[in-house]
Amino acid sequence: MVQQEFDFVACEDVEIQSTDIVYSTYQERFRPCPWYKPYQANGNRVIIEHLTDSDVDTASRIVDGALELRNGNWMWYRESLNYTWVGYNNYQPDRRIDRSFLLLMNKQREHRDRILEDLQPLLSGALYSYVDRGHAIADEDVRDASRDNIYWLWYFNPAWYDRTAFSVVAESWMRSDAYFANPEYPNFKTEVSEKIYKPMAYSHPLIVYGSVDTLSYLRRNGFETFGNLWDEAYDSVPGDSARFQAVSRTVRQAVADHAPGQWDLETQQKIAHNAQRFWDLDLVTERFHAEITRDILEFVS
């Protein structure tokens, strides 16, 4: 989308002029000699992309003369655009529920180990994965020679969502304690990833093992959460351990009350609203330009 305003070319393909804008990923900042430093010393304006950072609260800012490009809604915009590009927006739910919840975990994390232990009595009735611990969902569509070439970050199997009543999201991080102990960068209060948006895209209610105020963040962005179905008080619990325990209680109660996935009208309307909002490319494009493109233009003007 930013290419509507700028021409992007690889620096090794052109002779960079002093009026050119240099764009770098954030990883370069941690190298002993970031490649963009000589250009910055020569007067080039430098943008360092931090869009994939999980923090939702820190806005773009100037750091050491460079624009640190940030946006807490990037994961929504990126996933909506990418999922549309591969056709996932054509998904129409065909509910044939035989499991209570869907729980997708890949990389090993301490809080995910705890989830596996805490929810163990419920997992036989759920559909779940924890790849780093050796448990994958049996899936005939992908268990072939091409499996290793699948980009799992964006992989989508409709049957996973059609067979389950709701999603239990195990976010990448559950570490708000560090922020409350020292609210300085790089400690973040609320962190989200692409995982939080899959239930929105694929028409599932959700419960989240994540940062404090994750659900509040979703509501600020116009999405619905499901306090009409279960207790969402866990979202405002500041302590990670106490919040974890509160989420587990909510999951256990949700399985007891809602495993069949027979939703009332209010819940159906919330599910439909979330999907419509997630896939609204006009809205995504408008917000992208109003937030991300604007930050770039203000820096370079």
Side-chain angles (χ1 to χ4, degrees):
M1 288 190 181
V2 178
Q3 286 179 315
Q4 297 173 14
E5 302 285 345
F6 303 97
D7 294 323
F8 277 77
V9 293
C11 63
E12 61 267 21
D13 295 337
V14 297
E15 181 178 347
I16 295 180
Q17 306 298 315
S18 61
T19 55
D20 290 333
I21 301 161
V22 174
Y23 191 96
S24 173
T25 58
Y26 73 93
Q27 292 93 334
E28 282 295 321
R29 301 184 71 174
F30 303 102
R31 299 182 188 277
C33 299
W35 68 268
Y36 60 80
K37 282 292 187 181
Y39 297 108
Q40 189 175 24
N42 193 45
N44 291 90
R45 287 163 294 180
V46 173
I47 299 172
I48 303 173
E49 183 194 296
H50 278 260
L51 292 174
T52 54
D53 280 11
S54 52
D55 170 42
V56 304
D57 295 312
T58 306
S60 295
R61 56 192 181 181
I62 307 298
V63 178
D64 297 329
L67 174 64
E68 193 176 83
L69 184 63
R70 294 178 172 275
N71 186 275
N73 303 321
W74 168 248
M75 291 296 177
W76 168 17
Y77 307 154
R78 186 189 73 175
E79 302 318 289
S80 181
L81 293 166
N82 283 331
Y83 293 173
T84 299
W85 182 66
V86 295
Y88 292 166
N89 59 314
N90 296 317
Y91 166 65
Q92 295 295 322
D94 182 18
R95 298 292 186 233
R96 303 179 184 188
I97 295 171
D98 62 2
R99 303 294 179 93
S100 55
F101 60 83
L102 176 65
L103 170 64
L104 301 175
M105 300 187 291
N106 185 11
K107 294 181 180 179
Q108 187 274 332
R109 297 277 194 271
E110 180 182 357
H111 70 285
R112 291 176 179 165
D113 289 345
R114 291 184 61 198
I115 292 170
L116 191 68
E117 179 180 357
D118 220 38
L119 300 187
Q120 192 63 46
L122 305 178
L123 294 180
S124 62
L127 201 61
Y128 80 98
S129 65
Y130 195 177
V131 177
D132 273 3
R133 292 301 191 195
H135 186 87
I137 297 175
D139 186 344
E140 298 301 326
D141 292 338
V142 297
R143 288 192 178 280
D144 55 31
S146 66
R147 182 179 179 87
D148 291 338
N149 296 323
I150 291 172
Y151 190 39
W152 288 105
L153 179 67
W154 293 325
Y155 178 72
F156 165 58
N157 186 328
W160 295 353
Y161 292 86
D162 288 340
R163 293 180 57 195
T164 51
F166 59 93
S167 285
V168 174
V169 177
E171 263 293 5
S172 299
W173 303 108
M174 202 168 184
R175 56 185 183 185
S176 300
D177 282 350
Y179 171 86
F180 288 111
N182 180 24
E184 299 291 337
Y185 178 84
N187 296 331
F188 304 132
K189 185 181 78 168
T190 306
E191 300 180 82
V192 303
S193 71
E194 80 289 341
K195 302 169 190 64
I196 202 69
Y197 288 108
K198 290 181 178 180
M200 308 295 171
Y202 306 130
S203 301
H204 256 200
L206 77 163
I207 300 169
V208 185
Y209 286 94
S211 304
V212 65
D213 290 340
T214 297
L215 299 182
S216 177
Y217 159 77
L218 290 174
R219 291 191 293 266
R220 288 201 311 269
N221 278 288
F223 293 101
E224 297 281 357
T225 63
F226 296 88
N228 62 310
L229 295 178
W230 41 63
D231 185 5
E232 293 185 334
Y234 66 82
D235 188 56
S236 60
V237 177
D240 292 334
S241 181
R243 187 169 60 262
F244 180 98
Q245 294 170 16
V247 176
S248 290
R249 287 193 296 270
T250 296
V251 173
R252 287 191 285 268
Q253 192 61 52
V255 170
D257 294 343
H258 298 293
Q262 300 298 316
W263 305 127
D264 60 17
L265 179 60
E266 179 183 3
T267 302
Q268 293 177 43
Q269 290 173 339
K270 287 186 173 189
I271 291 170
H273 167 84
N274 286 345
Q276 189 279 330
R277 188 166 184 81
F278 176 86
W279 294 114
D280 187 343
L281 290 190
D282 288 338
L283 175 64
V284 168
T285 300
E286 177 185 342
R287 291 178 60 126
F288 184 102
H289 287 308
E291 299 167 15
I292 298 173
T293 307
R294 179 205 62 193
D295 286 350
I296 296 173
L297 291 174
E298 287 181 354
F299 174 68
V300 303
S301 61

